[in-house]
Amino acid sequence: MTAAERPWSRKDLLGIAELEPWEIEKILDTAAAFEEVAHRPIKKVPTLRGKTVINLFFETSTRTRSSFEIAEKRLSADSVNFSASSSALTKGESLVDTALNLQAMAPDLIVIRHAYPGTPHMLARRLEAGVINAGDGAHEHPTQALLDAFTIRQRKGRLAGLKVAIVGDIEHSRVVRSNVHLLTRMGAEVTVAGLHTMMPAAMEALGVKVVHDLDEALEGADVVMMLRIQLERQSRMLFPSIKEYFRLFGLSAERLARAAEDVIIMHPGPMNRGVEIASDVADGPFSVILEQVANGVAVRMAVLYLLLSRTDGEAAA
Amino acid sequence: MTARGERGESGGPAAAGRPPRREPPGRLLVAGGRVVDPSQGIDETADLLLEGGEVARVDERIEPADLDGDDVEVVDASGLVVCPGLVDIHVHLREPGQEYKETVETGTRAAAAGGFTAVACMPNTDPPIDHRAVVESIVAEAERRGYARVHPVGAVSKGMAGESLAEIGEMVRAGAVAVSDDGLPVAHPELMRRALLYARHFGVPVTQHAEDLHLTGGGVMHEGEWSTRLGLPGIPGASEDVVVARDLILAEETGGRYHVAHLSTGRSLELVREAKRRGVRVTCEVTPHHLVLTDRAVSDTGFSTDTKMKPPLRSEADRAALVAGLADGTVDAIASDHAPHHRDEKDVEFSLAPFGILGLETTLSLCLDRLVHAGTIPLGRLVELLSSGPARAYGLAGGTLAPGSPADVTLFDPDREITVDRRTFRSKSRNTPFHGWKLRGAPVRTILGGRVVEV
């Protein structure tokens, strides 16, 4: 059976770690079908009419939340936004109680972003509604990895066999973990590079090569993914100054010369220009950073559609 | 039921379901069991006679008819193991101050249900056990309502603030058996050095929850493959090891007695092993959960907060090293670190949940199933680790069936199949990762001061 023929059965998308390759393919193929909606004069299809989606964001987010919201609206779902500042959590309500209250309003799906790993998993166990993890601490950000894979596939035509370098604060990045699971599962060769002070204890166990030198990571790379460096990490003894960081791991046009001729440069955003990436690289001919953002909407439409059409299937049975 | 080696007989009015304590205990004959007493090298089918709250003797056959008088109560122990009452030297009874989690009454009832006749309770109560009055109040409460002996552990420093020594001598006079600042470990090297020296006057060990809180940082699980996968901040093994290493040097230099609480890493175990070889006065305990679970459990349970405790569940290599330490004698005791927390406190995001799980009602079954039946250690060694080992580490009178010792006895069935069901726990709390586990071996009965305890 091809990925297209196999029926989707998950209620939740909590991480890439639990996905099988055919499920990843199915999401990417479905996203390809939704991509053209963005180019229609009326950017809307009735697919999820009557479905209610709650965007529950406990961390500030511009890109991811807008992307989900646009995807929901383009599919004609009714979407509601909750953010930490307006939620009951600031009044001392527990997260479980907040979730159960939302559940009582009978939503079909909850998209959650939270600072702590495992929070979407905890909610998924309690809720009848489906749950999409839109980022849980440094754990996973599955839709980001899916949109990254979609972008790579669009540019390169494949994932298998590509050399991918992921550079930056590996330890605190959910984008890395989701990307590593997805790319290694689909046959890419992944190298992660960063300071010793921002590299998790056992990164090799995830099936990647670990290096501590940018040039080594860039050598022959087909894809270079730069990660945001959070400036506040300086105070936690992880690195002494931006100047020194950029000299060690900042991506400049000059250093990029080591990569493959048709390399693509990616960044999940938000970027710190001049910290992890020089402006001429970010805005240069190899950059696909804005394509990633555009593809995010199609990929999220695909995920929303698959999770919610599965619910339909059950109701009909 | 508290002071070391003494058996209080006064007690308050005996409520229904508790051992009647008004009259001195009569004679109890525990007949036909497999008596296992590592302190005397006994492992044989025999009868055990208890008299006047003390062990009278162990004999191949004791006929009730041959005994004077007709007041002999007989407990049939055929098919059961009969051993010294089990001792857990690391529990949190939460009283005073956090009675919604556990009390002396519920905690000791959980102990008795789990086969324990004595516990040592840690001082991180509210107020902390840092002066005589708190020791006395716990001792008195245990006299009134306890189902097991309670030996308080006093604080090392006033208010457990890590600054000045608490009145250790006063607390020991009132019944404290060790001193520890527990989860607020003694960080200041001078305070640790002084505590080791000062505690020598009273013959009690300084117990350290060995953790460098700076190295732990915001960590919530062991730093390793699984923290890497889950994106949770890690607690490196070094957080424990550097404290154990420093303290062992101080213990050696001062001649003080040092006890490592819930030792969890292979490196710390090696440090203790080597120190013992050099004659340092050090003992250590490990918990059942560190012997049967690893950091992988956090992932396997989908971030269950019942896999969150300190020290954290460590790597498979650490777990294997601890098991080896049981077998080779480096480990002195298995202690549960019974740490009750209310459901509302645990039912939150993993990173926000308090550290700690229950232990008293699962320890014996877990150890029988995963250590003895798994062929890792013989049954006699397990009994030693749960009775004479901990009793020796804290200088307690129990842990033996030698004539004249307290008539505290545990009867367990090494082959009874059970399924852990936390809804039936006597503890007030329910925070265990072992709910639903099928285990072979279970406690059947405890005898405290010569009387069968009804739990």
Side-chain angles (χ1 to χ4, degrees), chain A residues 166 169-170 173-181 192 203 227:
Chain A
I166 309 180
D169 182 354
I170 306 299
S173 173
R174 51 188 167 224
V175 174
V176 167
R177 287 170 178 81
S178 289
N179 261 300
V180 163
H181 291 312
V192 300
M203 201 61 203
L227 301 172

Side-chain angles (χ1 to χ4, degrees), chain B residues 348-416:
Chain B
V348 297
E349 297 88 322
F350 189 90
S351 298
L352 299 181
F355 294 92
I357 60 167
L358 300 179
L360 282 166
E361 292 176 80
T362 48
T363 291
L364 181 58
S365 293
L366 277 171
C367 293
L368 284 167
D369 188 277
R370 297 305 170 104
L371 300 174
V372 176
H373 295 312
T376 309
I377 54 170
L379 186 99
R381 175 65 178 144
L382 176 63
V383 171
E384 182 177 30
L385 287 159
L386 289 170
S387 60
S388 53
R392 242 191 330 263
Y394 274 10
L396 310 177
T400 176
L401 297 176
S405 48
D408 295 352
V409 185
T410 296
L411 277 59
F412 65 86
D413 181 341
D415 295 310
R416 180 182 294 181

Side-chain angles (χ1 to χ4, degrees), chain B residues 301-323:
Chain B
T301 60
F303 295 87
S304 164
T305 57
D306 289 332
T307 61
K308 182 179 177 185
M309 73 291 289
K310 268 189 182 176
L313 296 171
R314 298 286 188 189
S315 70
E316 174 54 28
D318 288 313
R319 192 198 67 80
L322 298 187
V323 170

Side-chain angles (χ1 to χ4, degrees), chain B residues 56-365:
Chain B
R57 62 193 161 99
V58 173
D59 230 321
E60 202 179 323
R61 187 106 185 91
I62 302 174
E63 291 293 345
D66 296 345
L67 301 168
D68 296 335
D70 53 3
D71 62 336
V72 183
E73 191 188 334
V74 180
V75 174
D76 178 11
S78 48
L80 303 179
V81 170
V82 176
C83 68
L86 304 184
V87 179
D88 189 337
I89 54 172
H90 195 143
V91 307
H92 298 268
L93 296 179
R94 304 299 190 206
E95 189 174 353
Q98 293 186 308
E99 289 84 355
Y100 67 98
K101 299 185 189 209
E102 196 78 286
T103 62
V104 169
E105 180 177 356
T106 59
T108 55
R109 196 170 170 202
F116 290 87
T117 56
V119 298
C121 61
M122 295 305 269
N124 61 336
T125 47
D126 182 18
I129 310 177
D130 70 344
H131 59 283
R132 193 182 68 189
V134 187
V135 176
E136 284 171 349
S137 77
I138 291 168
V139 165
E141 180 63 11
E143 288 280 349
R144 277 194 300 273
R145 299 202 170 82
Y147 289 75
R149 295 179 201 278
V150 176
H151 304 288
V153 174
V156 171
S157 64
K158 290 195 181 82
M160 293 175 54
E163 284 161 15
S164 56
L165 284 176
E167 289 175 321
I168 296 172
E170 289 283 291
M171 291 193 289
V172 171
R173 276 180 60 193
V177 295
V179 289
S180 176
D181 277 356
D182 196 50
L184 300 169
V186 177
H188 200 299
E190 190 186 13
L191 177 65
M192 178 50 88
R193 187 165 178 273
R194 301 289 183 213
L196 285 163
L197 287 167
Y198 189 71
R200 288 188 64 175
H201 289 285
F202 313 105
V204 295
V206 177
T207 293
Q208 179 79 298
H209 163 123
E211 179 185 16
D212 184 313
L213 294 173
H214 289 291
L215 288 177
T216 293
V220 296
M221 72 174 291
H222 174 63
E223 181 178 286
E225 175 180 347
W226 293 96
S227 68
T228 298
R229 288 184 182 277
L230 299 177
L232 287 168
I235 301 174
S239 168
E240 176 167 319
D241 304 337
V242 296
V243 175
V244 170
R246 179 201 71 177
D247 290 352
L248 287 172
I249 290 167
L250 295 174
E252 182 163 17
E253 186 238 359
T254 57
R257 272 176 68 193
Y258 178 65
H259 179 78
V260 188
H262 44 52
L263 185 145
S264 73
T265 72
R267 187 81 184 88
S268 287
L269 189 81
E270 187 48 44
L271 288 165
V272 169
R273 184 180 285 131
E274 195 252 344
K276 283 187 164 185
R277 218 177 279 142
R278 284 206 317 277
V280 181
R281 298 169 76 200
V282 55
T283 49
C284 70
E285 73 194 33
V286 299
T287 74
H289 46 276
H290 290 108
L291 293 167
V292 306
L293 292 173
T294 65
D295 53 348
R296 192 191 170 109
V298 181
S299 177
D300 288 347
T301 60
F303 295 87
S304 164
T305 57
D306 289 332
T307 61
K308 182 179 177 185
M309 73 291 289
K310 268 189 182 176
L313 296 171
R314 298 286 188 189
S315 70
E316 174 54 28
D318 288 313
R319 192 198 67 80
L322 298 187
V323 170
L326 300 180
D328 74 11
T330 307
V331 175
D332 296 279
I334 291 174
S336 73
D337 192 10
H338 179 83
H341 289 295
H342 194 273
R343 191 188 119 182
D344 294 346
E345 296 169 308
K346 277 288 199 181
D347 197 8
V348 297
E349 297 88 322
F350 189 90
S351 298
L352 299 181
F355 294 92
I357 60 167
L358 300 179
L360 282 166
E361 292 176 80
T362 48
T363 291
L364 181 58
S365 293

Side-chain angles (χ1 to χ4, degrees), chain A residues 28-29 87 100 126 130 135 157 218 236 255 271 294:
Chain A
L28 299 181
D29 293 345
S87 81
L100 292 175
R126 299 297 183 87
L218 292 176
R236 289 198 40 227
R255 299 183 82 165
M271 269 189 295

Side-chain angles (χ1 to χ4, degrees), chain A residues 183-195:
Chain A
L183 293 167
T184 54
R185 206 147 298 179
M186 303 308 278
E189 200 182 302
V190 182
T191 300
V192 300
L195 289 169

